[in-house]
Amino acid sequence: MKVVKNLSKKMEEMFRKKKEAIRRLVEAAEEAHLQHEENPELQYEYFNAVLINEVDEEGNNVELGGEFVLEPNEHFNNLSVNLSLSVVQVPTNMYNKDPAIVNGVYWSEALNKVFVDNFEKDPSLIWQYFGSAKGFFRQYPGVKWHPDEHGVIAFDCRNRKWYIQAATSPKDVVILVDVSGSMKGLRLTIARQTVSSILDTLGDDDFFNIIAYNQEIHYVEPCLNGTLVRADRNNKAHFREHLDKLFAKGIGLLGDALTEAFTILSDFNQTGHGSVCSQAIMLVTDGATQMYDDVFAKFNWPDRKVRIFPYLIGRESAFADNMKWMACANKGYFSQISTLADVQENVMRYLHVMSRPKVIDHEHDTVWTEAYMDSTGSIILSQPHKSRNKKGPSLMTTVAMPVFSTKNETKNQGILLGVVGTDIPLQELMKIIPKHLLGIHGYAFAITNNGYILTHPDLRPLYQKGQKRRKPNYSSVDLSEVEWEDKDDFLRNAMVNRKTGTFSMEVKKTVDKGKRLLKMHNDYYYTEVKGTPFSVGVALSRGHGKFFFRGNVSVEAGLHDLEQPDVALADEWTYCNTDEYYEHRSLSQIQAIKLYLTGRKPLIKCDRELIQEVLFDAVVTAPLEAYWTGLALNKSENSDKGVEIAYLGTRTGLSRTNLFVVQEDLSNQDFLTAEDKEGVFNADHFPLWYKRAAEQVPGTFVYSIPFGGNENKSVVLASTAIQLLDDRKSPIVASVGIQMNLNFFQRKFWTASRQCAALDGKCTISCDNEDIKCYLIDNNGFILVTEDYSQTGEFFGEVEAAVMTKLLLIGSFKRINLYDYQALCREYAGSSDSGHCLSHPFSIVKWLLTELVMFLLEFNLYSWWHVDLSVKAQNSRGKTMLVPCDTEYPAFVSERTIKETTGNIDCEGCVRSFVIQQIPSSNLFMVVVDNKCDCSSTLPVSMDPIEIMYNESLKCDRLKFQKDRKRPESCHPFHPEENAMECGGAAGLSAPLTGALLSLLATLFTR
């Protein structure tokens, strides 16, 4: 618990600094606007993000361009930036010199100084920005933007979640869509796009439903009759699919539709399951023949808690007065949408109306987004710099705060000026996680108030197979979808409700691209991160993470061994904080440790305890360098260069490597590099070879062929764990291993299998015999050695289905079903002699096993790392698309207690015999199968995932089911001083309707 509380405090401090930075921006922006007088004639040249450094045909700078100095900066993913100035981006559909934009750009120039000061105070800051309610976007540091291939920049800051969350309070929304006969053709198309744009403005704290109406009420999703659902990505996508099924016919009875909408909002609000804050009805129609004041009087007056936002579709203005009257009488806003190009700008206007109470209250609520992906250093950029970003897409969260007009003359109008924000890469969070304290399988994770994962080692936001593209629903993966063994959501709900506590359960974790399984018992510790909507947890695997050793060595000896060329430290671990001061950023961790220990850089903050342990590891493992060098010089030990790399890793993230061949001759060039993410110490996991070795019996060697491309199949990895002998506990302190050329490994195996101890040197049977097949498989059923080289690395059940089926039946192997809730699925727009040889299978396999053990002993794996490291502890085709889906898939593990097994298989009347036996001190099994029967009719034992299909009833239940969530603490639904006469529309109200509205408002205010 101490670890998770310390981690929470560090996260709280990091987030506090970011919050202070944006608060300084808010204060500067509001003061600058207060001092500014709007001037419709203002002319002002600013640096336009698209036009900077652009020249015309004569070589002169274009208007709003100008010379803008840009220099590559590693902190900003090597993008060329200007650390002294910001730039301004204006959406393509807006005029760069619109007076409202020019005035806003002019007064917001005051933010430049604050941007620079913030970055000097906190050099870990990345992008800072101000998104204006007028549509422009000021970004620091300055960077050039590039349009897409169509010459367009579709980015509009007002559409971003951070803007919408900061500008408005959580809301319950019912969208009414007119599907009467008059809506046919283009009007219905515009209506669909309007509804889709409204959905874009809803976030995970909002709830909604869509009702289509003509002479009848039609719920777009009939399953959700009379209720609202959370506006998460999956639900919005589901409703968008149904929008395409709308068709226009009949007459429109708007009164019935409004009655239904008010009833839903009232009933749902009483359940306490929604936002329990703002409420709104969005009306999308081509006209209203009356004002429906009787409906509003019955359900909404005098309190007017439900705002009405009518969108008049088409160019006709005959019904504009009625619809604007509805908006003004119900604290809403009227808009007319004539073309598809008008949709977005008109939809966005309702947000500023919803923000009025918050502005008048002058509540600068801080909002935090869920994790989202940025492929260029910041998701706000739309420029082709991906090739410069070697790390690829990264996850981040944004902290944002609204900016208000503080002028007295506009106070009751509640004018939102915009939103300021800054991005926080989640990699920064990973750096403060004390991985060495969590053990081999331990990890830290964090979730939002909605239960969505902020960071977790099992979150997979990208497509597989190296495609750096985001999955559709990557930002809304629930904790219950990765910690799925917690069937009752105890852990998730406790964290969502910001509790502090512990939890324990058996878990099944897959590794090696989901092909292998580790069964563990995890203890979870969790608490809230104060000042944010996040909670953080730590998972410790029993047997690892609670006990570790410490040793004392001199600084001189430790630094000497740490600086050797064969030593490296975990790239994503933080031994010293080199981000806090700009001058430290170029330092490697080893350089920072040296400066810290020698006192030459007193400002560097380091983890003294971790450094003490890593120095100890460097000294204790130092003899390996000389030992491996001696082996490399001894030609007899590795004469045919079969062993390519020897490596060691310790719990402190220290690793040593020794190449026995030149780099260019390595069979697998990616191993132990950043490209091999599972094979190196990472921010959230130990190397795969370390984790697998730790789960075997001490002294056991773990052999495997890495999964991946053909290059990976050309090597075999062998590793084992080093465990301390102690009177009380035995922590695993390191793991060592080698990479071998696969041909070398297989050659050794076949050589051993052809030798026998008979006096005449003749073998009764060997793997060369055509009547039998020999396989060497690992404890997960993958083939390392077989006569057919193409089967290397394949799953045994795909090759020998009948044998694998029998092994599962008799318990030699177990099938364990697993679930993937982040998956993507494709969606389509012998002879009698040989029988005699195996009549005594035990004797034959024991003989083969003896020879194989001799091969292992001859190869002498221990010699590659047998150094006394012990110390005493001190304590498809066609038109298809990938869509999110849930899948079930199997993993297979051997039963450790079963060392040898024989069996017979009836293949349509022919009996086939086999024998399997474990090779001592390894995770390998020798399998010998007779070849006399054709068992090809047996269905393969496949590892392919199977999509979980939900029937309509289950789909409905999943849509209706609402998991626990923690509502935002702040809510601003309405304010008595709000000026409801600012209710929009290009057309003015006629005199009679204006009089009616004023009379109505007077009546309402006097009640």
Side-chain angles (χ1 to χ4, degrees):
M1 185 57 73
K2 181 179 179 182
V3 172
V4 76
K5 286 186 175 181
N6 287 339
L7 178 58
S8 173
K9 288 180 180 178
K10 289 181 179 179
M11 292 174 66
E12 180 185 340
E13 176 63 18
M14 171 187 286
F15 288 137
R16 183 188 62 78
K17 289 182 178 180
K18 314 303 180 189
K19 185 176 176 180
E20 287 178 354
I22 64 167
R23 182 169 291 280
R24 287 191 288 268
L25 289 172
V26 168
E27 292 171 354
E30 292 182 350
E31 179 62 25
H33 178 262
L34 180 63
Q35 300 301 326
H36 176 73
E37 292 293 334
E38 203 74 10
N39 178 7
E41 306 298 326
L42 179 64
Q43 299 292 316
Y44 180 65
E45 289 287 319
Y46 60 90
F47 287 113
N48 184 289
V50 179
L51 300 176
I52 55 174
N53 296 333
E54 295 288 330
V55 294
D56 57 23
E57 294 178 354
E58 298 178 358
N60 299 318
N61 290 322
V62 299
E63 192 176 23
L64 299 183
E67 186 176 345
F68 195 77
V69 179
L70 296 170
E71 296 179 351
N73 191 295
E74 185 178 0
H75 184 61
F76 295 92
N77 285 334
N78 289 320
L79 290 170
S80 294
V81 300
N82 185 313
L83 295 177
S84 301
L85 295 170
S86 60
V87 291
V88 174
Q89 177 263 344
V90 179
T92 304
N93 63 338
M94 301 184 73
Y95 178 42
N96 280 329
K97 288 197 163 187
D98 183 284
I101 289 178
V102 173
N103 276 268
V105 169
Y106 179 79
W107 66 254
S108 65
E109 282 285 335
L111 295 180
N112 273 328
K113 181 178 184 305
V114 187
F115 285 143
V116 175
D117 289 346
N118 279 344
F119 189 51
E120 289 177 354
K121 286 184 174 75
D122 181 4
S124 67
L125 282 170
I126 53 170
W127 307 106
Q128 303 174 65
Y129 38 83
F130 168 62
S132 167
K134 302 298 183 184
F136 73 84
F137 181 72
R138 181 177 290 280
Q139 179 193 21
Y140 172 88
V143 63
K144 184 170 177 60
W145 289 44
H146 297 268
D148 62 19
E149 63 272 18
H150 305 295
V152 173
I153 293 180
F155 177 85
D156 188 325
C157 62
R158 298 167 298 175
N159 271 340
R160 294 293 171 175
K161 280 192 175 182
W162 51 265
Y163 185 99
I164 295 169
Q165 283 182 235
T168 63
S169 295
K171 49 197 171 291
D172 295 338
V173 176
V174 175
I175 304 172
L176 299 179
V177 189
D178 184 354
V179 290
S180 62
S182 63
M183 288 288 289
K184 285 182 179 179
L186 179 59
R187 289 184 178 182
L188 188 58
T189 301
I190 296 174
R192 288 193 189 104
Q193 185 59 44
T194 301
V195 174
S196 184
S197 293
I198 293 171
L199 292 180
D200 284 337
T201 67
L202 304 181
D204 294 309
D205 292 322
D206 302 323
F207 291 77
F208 77 104
N209 204 337
I210 304 176
I211 297 175
Y213 71 92
N214 41 33
Q215 65 268 31
E216 296 178 353
I217 300 297
H218 308 276
Y219 280 85
V220 170
E221 171 49 80
C223 161
L224 297 172
N225 188 316
T227 188
L228 303 182
V229 294
R230 188 192 297 182
D232 61 34
R233 186 185 181 97
N234 290 337
N235 288 339
K236 290 191 290 185
H238 179 80
F239 272 84
R240 281 194 173 96
E241 292 175 4
H242 284 271
L243 286 177
D244 293 332
K245 302 173 185 176
L246 297 179
F247 59 94
K249 68 174 183 177
I251 60 173
L253 300 181
L254 177 55
D256 292 346
L258 286 170
T259 298
E260 183 74 10
F262 278 116
T263 302
I264 294 173
L265 289 171
S266 176
D267 292 348
F268 192 71
N269 185 62
Q270 291 177 20
T271 67
H273 290 155
S275 69
V276 195
C277 191
S278 301
Q279 294 181 307
I281 295 174
M282 309 295 194
L283 173 59
V284 183
T285 180
D286 63 347
T289 58
Q290 55 180 295
M291 294 181 288
Y292 299 97
D293 51 336
D294 57 328
V295 178
F296 299 131
K298 179 178 179 180
F299 291 101
N300 205 37
W301 295 344
D303 296 330
R304 297 187 293 169
K305 291 184 177 180
V306 179
R307 297 177 187 268
I308 307 295
F309 295 94
Y311 294 94
L312 178 61
I313 305 300
R315 300 182 183 277
E316 299 292 332
S317 299
F319 303 108
D321 278 354
N322 286 346
M323 295 185 68
K324 183 169 184 180
W325 184 90
M326 293 182 200
C328 298
N330 294 280
K331 292 188 176 180
Y333 197 91
F334 164 74
S335 298
Q336 184 165 3
I337 302 176
S338 303
T339 67
L340 286 170
D342 296 337
V343 171
Q344 181 170 306
E345 191 66 26
N346 279 283
V347 166
M348 295 300 301
R349 288 173 179 158
Y350 94 88
L351 293 174
H352 303 133
V353 176
M354 299 289 279
S355 71
R356 285 176 187 164
K358 179 184 286 192
V359 178
I360 298 173
D361 283 335
H362 212 70
E363 290 288 342
H364 292 96
D365 299 326
T366 306
V367 298
W368 307 79
T369 68
E370 75 277 12
Y372 64 91
M373 186 68 69
D374 171 26
S375 59
T376 58
S378 173
I379 199 166
I380 56 178
L381 296 180
S382 47
Q383 50 178 301
H385 285 301
K386 293 180 182 178
S387 60
R388 300 187 189 180
N389 185 3
K390 296 180 180 179
K391 295 182 180 179
S394 58
L395 284 170
M396 60 178 51
T397 182
T398 292
V399 54
M401 195 177 290
V403 180
F404 309 139
S405 170
T406 57
K407 294 182 178 180
N408 288 329
E409 61 269 27
T410 61
K411 183 179 179 182
N412 69 340
Q413 296 178 25
I415 296 177
L416 176 75
L417 300 177
V419 175
V420 295
T422 185
D423 297 334
I424 307 170
L426 296 183
Q427 194 64 30
E428 295 299 310
L429 294 185
M430 304 301 290
K431 288 180 179 179
I432 64 177
I433 296 173
K435 191 69 186 77
H436 67 293
L437 296 180
L438 305 184
I440 300 165
H441 302 296
Y443 55 90
F445 59 98
I447 66 171
T448 70
N449 61 302
N450 285 310
Y452 296 153
I453 292 173
L454 190 68
T455 178
H456 192 291
D458 291 335
L459 177 64
R460 306 192 314 273
L462 300 178
Y463 286 92
Q464 297 296 313
K465 300 180 181 178
Q467 300 180 54
K468 293 181 178 180
R469 292 188 297 130
R470 300 186 290 271
K471 290 181 179 178
N473 59 342
Y474 74 94
S475 63
S476 56
V477 177
D478 197 89
L479 181 66
S480 61
E481 294 176 325
V482 293
E483 301 286 354
W484 52 266
E485 293 92 345
D486 179 16
K487 302 298 183 183
D488 297 324
D489 285 348
F490 179 90
L491 175 65
R492 177 201 180 276
N493 292 344
M495 294 183 68
V496 162
N497 290 301
R498 306 180 66 76
K499 294 181 180 178
T500 298
T502 62
F503 178 66
S504 177
M505 68 177 174
E506 300 281 348
V507 297
K508 306 175 187 72
K509 295 292 182 182
T510 57
V511 295
D512 213 354
K513 298 179 173 60
K515 301 288 188 181
R516 304 185 188 278
L517 179 73
L518 298 177
K519 296 174 68 176
M520 294 170 287
H521 193 115
N522 278 358
D523 293 319
Y524 297 86
Y525 305 86
Y526 51 86
T527 192
E528 65 176 325
V529 181
K530 293 179 180 178
T532 76
F534 307 138
S535 291
V536 63
V538 164
L540 298 181
S541 176
R542 288 188 183 176
H544 306 291
K546 291 188 177 180
F547 300 95
F548 49 92
F549 71 94
R550 293 198 180 108
N552 290 311
V553 295
S554 69
V555 171
E556 292 75 15
L559 286 177
H560 175 269
D561 291 328
L562 190 62
E563 293 184 285
Q564 297 306 306
D566 67 322
V567 173
L569 296 182
D571 183 50
E572 296 179 359
W573 289 24
T574 302
Y575 302 84
C576 292
N577 184 354
T578 56
D579 291 329
E580 188 167 359
Y581 296 98
Y582 187 79
E583 61 269 24
H584 297 160
R585 287 196 175 145
S586 60
L587 298 175
S588 69
Q589 287 293 310
I590 291 179
Q591 290 171 333
I593 289 172
K594 183 177 181 180
L595 293 174
Y596 170 73
L597 293 175
T598 56
R600 290 159 55 191
K601 288 283 185 180
L603 293 179
I604 292 182
K605 295 178 182 178
C606 299
D607 187 330
R608 177 171 288 277
E609 184 180 282
L610 176 56
I611 290 176
Q612 178 186 338
E613 293 175 20
V614 82
L615 292 180
F616 180 73
D617 285 355
V619 172
V620 171
T621 61
L624 274 178
E625 180 186 10
Y627 188 77
W628 283 336
T629 301
L631 286 176
L633 295 174
N634 187 343
K635 301 294 185 181
S636 63
E637 287 285 351
N638 194 25
S639 57
D640 48 5
K641 303 294 184 182
V643 177
E644 299 179 343
I645 308 175
Y647 50 87
L648 169 141
T650 75
R651 180 171 165 160
T652 60
L654 178 142
S655 59
R656 288 183 179 272
T657 57
N658 192 87
L659 297 183
F660 295 99
V661 297
V662 295
Q663 182 75 35
E664 293 73 20
D665 292 341
L666 287 174
S667 301
N668 181 5
Q669 296 281 341
D670 289 340
F671 184 56
L672 300 178
T673 69
E675 296 297 322
D676 178 25
K677 294 191 180 298
E678 279 198 295
V680 296
F681 286 97
N682 216 315
D684 54 14
H685 62 250
F686 274 56
L688 174 62
W689 44 268
Y690 199 129
K691 292 197 286 190
R692 292 195 65 210
E695 289 308 302
Q696 298 295 321
V697 175
T700 298
F701 298 100
V702 179
Y703 298 83
S704 65
I705 294 177
F707 294 105
N710 293 329
E711 184 182 64
N712 286 358
K713 283 190 174 184
S714 62
V715 299
V716 173
L717 303 181
S719 60
T720 189
I722 299 175
Q723 200 163 18
L724 285 180
L725 300 178
D726 184 81
D727 296 335
R728 295 163 296 170
K729 299 291 180 183
S730 297
I732 291 173
V733 296
S735 180
V736 287
I738 57 173
Q739 174 180 292
M740 294 174 278
N741 181 280
L742 177 60
N743 289 328
F744 165 78
F745 181 81
Q746 292 185 338
R747 196 163 58 246
K748 287 284 187 179
F749 172 82
W750 292 123
T751 299
S753 71
R754 295 186 183 102
Q755 298 173 355
C756 55
L759 294 175
D760 58 2
K762 295 180 179 180
C763 303
T764 306
I765 187 172
S766 78
C767 289
D768 288 336
N769 194 314
E770 293 183 358
D771 295 328
I772 64 171
K773 289 183 178 180
C774 295
Y775 300 92
L776 190 64
I777 66 175
D778 66 20
N779 60 312
N780 296 117
F782 294 100
I783 300 172
L784 279 79
V785 180
T786 180
E787 295 172 1
D788 185 348
Y789 188 84
S790 66
Q791 295 174 347
T792 302
E794 297 296 314
F795 178 59
F796 187 64
E798 299 274 7
V799 176
E800 290 284 359
V803 178
M804 192 66 195
T805 301
K806 188 70 173 182
L807 292 174
L808 291 169
L809 187 63
I810 62 181
S812 292
F813 275 79
K814 289 183 178 180
R815 176 191 179 110
I816 298 174
N817 290 331
L818 305 168
Y819 300 91
D820 185 359
Y821 297 103
Q822 302 177 67
L824 293 169
C825 298
R826 290 197 176 275
E827 184 179 89
Y828 290 87
S831 68
S832 58
D833 288 341
S834 60
H836 174 74
C837 290
L838 281 176
S839 59
H840 301 290
F842 262 115
S843 60
I844 293 177
V845 146
K846 285 183 177 177
W847 167 77
L848 283 171
L849 182 61
T850 302
E851 295 304 321
L852 195 59
V853 171
M854 290 176 63
F855 143 63
L856 292 176
L857 291 176
E858 173 203 354
F859 181 48
N860 195 8
L861 285 172
Y862 279 102
S863 69
W864 295 92
W865 50 68
H866 186 56
V867 177
D868 185 9
L869 299 178
S870 61
V871 293
K872 275 287 180 180
Q874 294 182 345
N875 216 15
S876 132
R877 300 175 183 175
K879 291 185 178 180
T880 64
M881 60 184 296
L882 291 172
V883 296
C885 62
D886 299 339
T887 60
E888 180 181 8
Y889 65 101
F892 298 88
V893 292
S894 62
E895 176 53 60
R896 286 184 178 180
T897 58
I898 300 178
K899 305 299 182 184
E900 54 188 33
T901 302
T902 62
N904 295 313
I905 307 164
D906 185 357
C907 297
E908 298 180 356
C910 178
V911 178
R912 191 181 190 195
S913 303
F914 71 89
V915 60
I916 178 172
Q917 188 162 353
Q918 185 177 9
I919 298 174
S921 299
S922 78
N923 69 321
L924 300 179
F925 292 83
M926 177 77 172
V927 186
V928 181
V929 185
D930 79 27
N931 208 18
K932 71 176 182 178
C933 300
D934 181 8
C935 296
S936 58
S937 61
T938 305
L939 293 176
V941 181
S942 175
M943 295 191 70
D944 292 339
I946 299 172
E947 182 178 0
I948 300 173
M949 305 303 293
Y950 300 101
N951 60 34
E952 290 304 315
S953 176
L954 282 174
K955 284 182 180 177
C956 182
D957 290 342
R958 285 164 61 85
L959 282 170
K960 286 182 176 179
F961 179 66
Q962 303 282 352
K963 286 184 175 289
D964 276 11
R965 54 183 287 274
K966 183 79 170 177
R967 293 190 197 92
E969 295 178 358
S970 153
C971 174
H972 307 275
F974 51 86
H975 195 284
E977 297 179 19
E978 181 182 342
N979 181 3
M981 294 301 293
E982 292 290 330
C983 44
L989 285 176
S990 63
L993 286 176
T994 301
L997 179 64
L998 291 173
S999 174
L1000 169 67
L1001 293 177
T1003 303
L1004 293 177
F1005 282 125
T1006 56
R1007 289 189 184 182

